């Protein structure tokens, strides 16, 4: 048995199956609703129920307060329709966003290797092609865990069936240590996606500055490779931050791209350099960026890395006259980060 879901102000109408969340129904039919954690913890997917009745599900009292429940709000990621429903969502139109329905895929691990002492590279060949925008992420369903884990796609869309995930280990986490220890070639995994609205804003026609740290290099790698592959001529700069040379992965590939493409510049930055042979930049990426830019206005900035790095970069960019509409961020959190906010699972959150 299914119900009809009407979404205002877009006027979209989708079918919701019994037991299916409002968010899942919309995304699987190519209709975007704002979301982040997908588990009722962050409140990004909060919508107002205009007509009909819903089961609120396991919505966190921090993300959906009692007064909001009384006023008819729900979290689309946990709410399930009990009859035909109409909702109102705060949806920003984005001319660069493609409407790609979320799907489930099965795939086989064809390669697994350590990219750094803390980051595992995993290549999975899917049974069918996945369509996505460079910068988006998927949910990996890990055996033994109720909730899937979100990982950015590090490959460009042209690889079609073969996807790459860069999985950083979180010592006090649960899923990432399990993956690092147990995942092996030949294993079969279910993934769902694509998710997210972190991608290049091509309509802006502006030079791009990427800031990446840790496994946050995944999305910029995908986005940069896709732009260069598709003939982008706008200037592209990547500030790649790492603690030391061991953790500066894919450096050789980016150096080669720097030599091959006139419009691409690669600037690796070490924050804790003890190698006397290192002749590159030392410090924090936001501080190093100021050496290369007098002002940041006129650019588009894309940030993906630890929260502390991203916050520092936002401050520096704004001081250099680049403001919110031109700063795009993919924050990722460890379980420890989320526990500090009374939350329980990884999420991606926009600026």
């Amino acid at each position: 048995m299914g119900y009809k879901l009407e979404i205002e102000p877009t006027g979209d109408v989708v079918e919701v199956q019994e037991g299916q969340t409002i968010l899942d129904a919309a995304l699987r039919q190519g209709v975007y609703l704002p979301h982040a954690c997908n588990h009722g913890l962050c409140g990004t997917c909060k919508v107002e129920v205009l007509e009909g009745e819903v089961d609120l599900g396991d919505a966190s009292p921090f993300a959906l307060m009692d007064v909001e429940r009384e006023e008819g709000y729900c979290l689309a990621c946990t709410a399930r329709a009990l009859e035909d429903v109409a909702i109102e969502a705060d949806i920003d139109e984005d001319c660069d966003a493609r409407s790609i329905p979320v799907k489930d895929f099965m795939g086989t691990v064809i390669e697994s290797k350590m990219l750094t002492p803390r980051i595992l590279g995993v290549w999975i060949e899917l049974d069918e092609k996945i369509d996505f925008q460079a910068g988006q992420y998927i949910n990996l369903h890990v055996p033994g865990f109720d909730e899937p884990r979100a990982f950015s796609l590090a490959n460009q869309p042209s690889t079609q069936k073969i996807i790459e995930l860069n999985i950083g280990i979180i010592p006090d986490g649960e899923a990432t240590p399990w993956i690092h220890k147990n995942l092996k070639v030949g294993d079969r995994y279910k993934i769902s996606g694509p998710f997210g609205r972190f991608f290049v804003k091509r309509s802006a026609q502006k030079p791009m500055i990427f800031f990446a740290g840790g496994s946050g290099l995944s999305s910029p790698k995908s986005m940069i490779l896709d732009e260069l592959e598709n003939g982008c001529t706008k200037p592209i700069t990547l500030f790649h931050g790492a603690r030391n040379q061991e953790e500066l992965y894919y450096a050789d590939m980016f150096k080669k791209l720097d030599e091959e493409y006139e419009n691409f510049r690669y600037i690796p930055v070490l924050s804790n350099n003890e190698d006397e042979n290192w002749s590159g930049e030392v410090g924090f990426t936001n501080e190093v960026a100021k050496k290369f830019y007098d002002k940041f206005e006129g650019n588009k900035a894309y940030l993906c890395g630890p929260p502390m790095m991203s916050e520092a970069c936002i401050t520096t960019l704004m001081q250099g006259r680049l403001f919110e509409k031109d700063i795009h961020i993919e924050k990722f959190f460890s379980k420890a980060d989320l526990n500090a906010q009374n939350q329980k699972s990884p999420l991606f959150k926009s600026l």
Side-chain angles (χ1 to χ4, degrees):
M1 181 179 179
Y3 303 109
K4 182 174 69 173
L5 170 66
E6 296 183 24
I7 302 170
E8 297 295 343
T10 62
D12 290 300
V13 178
V14 301
E15 290 295 319
V16 185
Q17 298 303 311
E18 188 169 4
Q20 185 180 29
T21 67
I22 288 173
L23 178 63
D24 188 62
L27 295 180
R28 288 182 181 275
Q29 292 171 69
V31 177
Y32 175 76
L33 289 177
H35 61 281
C37 75
N38 293 346
H39 300 301
L41 303 171
C42 68
T44 304
C45 66
K46 192 177 299 174
V47 298
E48 182 180 4
V49 179
L50 303 176
E51 296 178 15
E53 185 179 357
V54 302
D55 177 348
L56 297 179
D58 190 21
S60 162
F62 300 98
L64 187 66
M65 295 182 291
D66 289 342
V67 64
E68 293 174 316
R69 297 169 191 245
E70 293 171 2
E71 291 175 350
Y73 287 87
C74 71
L75 301 185
C77 72
T78 63
R80 291 169 170 82
L82 299 176
E83 57 184 345
D84 290 348
V85 172
I87 63 170
E88 183 169 6
D90 185 12
I91 303 174
D92 293 326
E93 289 192 16
D94 189 337
C95 63
D96 294 296
R98 292 178 52 212
S99 178
I100 306 174
V102 168
K103 295 175 58 177
D104 295 326
F105 301 83
M106 289 299 299
T108 304
V109 177
I110 58 173
E111 186 178 358
S112 171
K113 66 180 181 181
M114 296 304 296
L115 300 173
T116 78
R118 299 186 304 117
I119 298 173
L120 175 69
V122 177
W123 286 261
I124 300 174
E125 183 172 5
L126 304 177
D127 294 350
E128 59 180 299
K129 298 176 183 178
I130 182 172
D131 187 17
F132 69 97
Q133 290 185 260
Q136 291 188 295
Y137 68 94
I138 56 90
N139 279 337
L140 178 69
H141 297 259
V142 185
F145 295 88
D146 293 335
E147 299 173 356
R149 265 47 180 185
F151 297 107
S152 296
L153 291 158
N155 56 290
Q156 64 270 42
S158 62
T159 60
Q160 298 183 336
K161 280 189 176 183
I162 298 176
I163 64 171
E164 176 189 348
L165 308 177
N166 298 166
I167 302 175
I169 191 167
I170 302 171
D172 59 350
E174 296 175 349
T176 56
W178 187 97
I179 292 170
H180 274 238
K181 181 179 179 181
N182 295 285
L183 181 143
K184 61 184 183 299
V185 171
D187 286 348
R188 295 275 291 171
Y189 283 90
K190 174 184 173 182
I191 74 162
S192 303
F195 296 98
R197 282 203 163 186
F198 186 65
F199 43 74
V200 171
K201 308 297 182 179
R202 288 176 174 168
S203 63
Q205 289 295 299
K206 291 182 178 181
M208 290 161 268
I209 308 172
F210 289 87
F211 293 87
S215 59
L217 182 66
S218 301
S219 290
K221 174 178 176 284
S222 174
M223 297 158 82
I224 291 168
L225 290 176
D226 187 48
E227 289 303 299
L228 295 176
E229 187 178 272
N230 284 284
C232 173
T233 58
K234 294 292 181 184
I236 302 173
T237 300
L238 169 62
F239 291 97
H240 180 193
R243 297 178 188 178
N244 51 55
Q245 289 197 69
E246 272 192 311
E247 297 186 7
L248 198 66
Y249 71 111
Y250 280 125
D252 289 342
M253 182 196 76
F254 284 118
K255 288 176 184 176
K256 185 176 179 181
L257 292 174
D258 191 324
E259 296 170 358
E260 184 178 350
Y261 292 90
E262 291 185 2
N263 63 317
F264 177 67
R265 177 170 56 174
Y266 175 57
I267 303 171
V269 182
L270 301 186
S271 62
N272 186 27
N273 178 51
E274 297 179 355
D275 187 347
E276 59 184 20
N277 296 318
W278 175 255
S279 59
E281 298 292 337
V282 177
F284 296 107
T285 53
N286 62 303
E287 293 297 327
V288 170
K290 291 194 287 187
K291 296 170 58 176
F292 291 83
Y293 292 87
D294 293 329
K295 292 183 179 179
F296 296 102
E297 61 183 337
N299 293 277
K300 279 281 186 183
Y302 301 90
L303 286 57
C304 191
M308 187 176 295
M309 183 210 82
S310 296
E311 293 299 331
C313 288
I314 291 170
T315 299
T316 296
L317 291 168
M318 288 186 169
Q319 289 172 345
R321 300 192 62 76
L322 194 70
F323 301 111
E324 185 173 344
K325 67 182 180 65
D326 289 317
I327 300 174
H328 308 281
I329 181 169
E330 180 187 54
K331 284 186 180 179
F332 61 94
F333 298 85
S334 71
K335 182 169 182 177
D337 293 324
L338 291 169
N339 282 341
Q341 304 175 46
N342 297 307
Q343 298 176 327
K344 300 178 181 177
S345 91
L347 64 89
F348 292 85
K349 186 176 182 182
S350 299
L351 177 65

